[in-house]
Structures are given as structure tokens and as C-alpha cells.
Amino acid sequence: MENSIKSQVQQQFAKHAGKYVTSIRHAKGEDLSLLVSLSKADANMEVLDIATGGGHVANALAPLVRRVTAYDLTAEMLTTAAEFIRGNGHSNVEFVEGDAEQLPFHDTSFDLVTCRIAAHHFPNIPAFAAEAFRVVKPGGKLLLIDNVAPEDDRFDEFYNQIEKQRDPSHVRAWKKSEWIHLLESAGFRIEMVVCSPKPFQFHDWCERSGLPEEKITLLETKMLQVSEELQNFFSIQTDESGGLSSFTGESVYFQAIRPA
């Protein structure tokens, strides 16, 4: 089952690699600036960016650190990220293909491990957390950003349903409480949790995953027909014609340290 999911992830991102480099949400999100500013990156650091995607975290940290390893499951994403990063003049980034749940790196190899807007595609998040802990140095940090599901089970179910309907490679967005429990169980100490509302423009959100027009219509109808409680919680907004224009989810930045 896990291999099937990972194959689906590879197919999805191989087809749409370029969109994730140019996506304003991925390239210029406030969460990216937050991660860089809180990283305390310095010129001696070795950084691992897991599931680098379009390479935006690696690109932002490259001028600040000694070396970045940009790591991703999908070869096409790495090729696109490399063109983007090298095109910006950064020569200290290495590109490695592989699985977030089975890292091919020695223990305690990195000062920082980062992962941004990707973990909801991982079928075995506990394995990812354990591997991130293994490869980060004592005193080093994991900087993790992802979309999260609400704590209420009903809202959690709805959010993950629409994400899966939009993108079949979506596995599950976790709740904040689940992330905190997992990271502490893996051995990390949580230093900081920053929660931010995350507005989605509906059609941009659908088109980025390559959703066909007829499926966009089905998803739009589903979201417009949910209860008033769900519409209010997710701030589901319509345009002048009554079509779905936007809704709001949540993104969380977790900063966790491996105790020295």
C-alpha cells in the first residue's frame, strides 16, 4: 500500500513539477520567510531539505549556510528545482533522490532538517519523524511546516476528504496535537509552534494539482452544499455568480530540537 501511494505521489508531482516552482503560494508564502528568519542559519551549517519540491526552502537557505541537500522522491521535481536554484546562482546545493521515510544519510549529519508543505503526502509519518531525528545532530533542529487538520474530528474528516478529492496523492493532514505528540515521542523537544490561517483560492488550488474541469465542478458542488457550520469554520466564500471563490485552512510551523 505504501509503495502504491508513493508511486502515485511521483506520478502527480512529475506531471506538475513546474507549477510548484512558479506557484506564488510555494515561492513567496509568509511561512517561508518565517522559517528562514527563525532558522538562525549560519555559514557553518549543513542543511537537509526533505521533500524539497520546487526547491524554495533550499533556495532561500543556500546563501546563508555551508551546504544544502535538496532531497525528493520525484526525479522530475529535483530536475526542476535544480534549474531554479542553479539559475539563481547557488552552487552549494546537492540534489538527491529518495524516500522521506528511509533517508540515505549517516546519523547526526545535519544541523538543520527542514520539510515544508509536504508531509501530508507521506504514508508513514512516524517513520519520517524517526529518520529526521536520526540524521539531525544533537542540538540541531527540525523546522517543519505543513497544512494541518482541525482538532474536531468532523472538520478533520471534511478537510482531508476535499484535499484527497483535489489531489489523489494526498494521504492525510495531521492535527496539531498529533504532530506535537509524535515529535516528542520521536525524541524531539518542541521549541515553538506558530499557527497561521491559510487561505486557498479555489480554482488556483485545483489547477495546481491538474484536476480536470468536470472534477473541479464536482468538488465545488460538494463544498457549496456542506452545512452552515462547516462553511463558517472554513470561511467558504462565493463570487458574484455564486461559484466557490475561496476557503481557509490552517498552516503550522513546528520548531523542534534534538536535545544535546
Side-chain angles (χ1 to χ4, degrees), residues 142-228:
L142 170 66
L143 311 181
L144 170 72
I145 294 172
D146 204 11
N147 306 335
V148 294
E151 295 295 316
D152 186 304
D153 288 342
R154 297 167 301 156
F155 300 160
D156 170 358
E157 182 179 8
F158 171 75
Y159 177 66
N160 276 295
Q161 278 181 355
I162 62 171
E163 281 281 18
K164 185 74 173 177
Q165 195 167 333
R166 194 244 345 178
D167 178 358
S169 71
H170 175 86
V171 177
R172 180 167 180 258
W174 279 32
K175 300 175 181 180
K176 294 186 290 290
S177 58
E178 292 174 316
W179 271 116
I180 291 168
H181 180 265
L182 172 67
L183 293 174
E184 290 188 346
S185 298
F188 287 106
R189 188 178 75 244
I190 304 290
E191 287 190 322
M192 189 182 304
V193 178
V194 181
C195 306
S196 306
K198 186 166 184 176
F200 294 93
Q201 299 303 311
F202 177 71
H203 286 281
D204 172 70
W205 177 66
C206 291
E207 288 165 7
R208 190 165 58 247
S209 66
L211 196 64
E213 195 62 42
E214 65 273 14
K215 292 188 176 181
I216 293 176
T217 301
L218 287 172
L219 180 54
E220 180 179 33
T221 301
K222 174 178 180 171
M223 293 179 69
L224 289 174
Q225 291 178 346
V226 296
S227 69
E228 185 177 355

Side-chain angles (χ1 to χ4, degrees), residues 64-84:
L64 308 175
V65 302
R66 188 162 83 87
R67 182 168 57 189
V68 181
T69 300
Y71 185 75
D72 203 276
L73 184 66
T74 306
E76 291 84 352
M77 287 299 305
L78 284 172
T79 299
T80 306
E83 290 172 358
F84 166 61

Side-chain angles (χ1 to χ4, degrees), residues 123-135:
N124 189 343
I125 286 180
F128 153 71
E131 282 289 86
F133 184 83
R134 179 182 66 79
V135 301

Side-chain angles (χ1 to χ4, degrees), residues 6 9 21 23 41 48 59 62 77 85 99 102 117-118 131 146 175 182 190:
K6 289 170 187 177
V9 169
V21 173
S23 163
L48 171 64
N59 179 71
M77 287 299 305
I85 292 170
D99 189 333
Q102 297 177 314
I117 324 178
E131 282 289 86
D146 204 11
K175 300 175 181 180
L182 172 67
I190 304 290

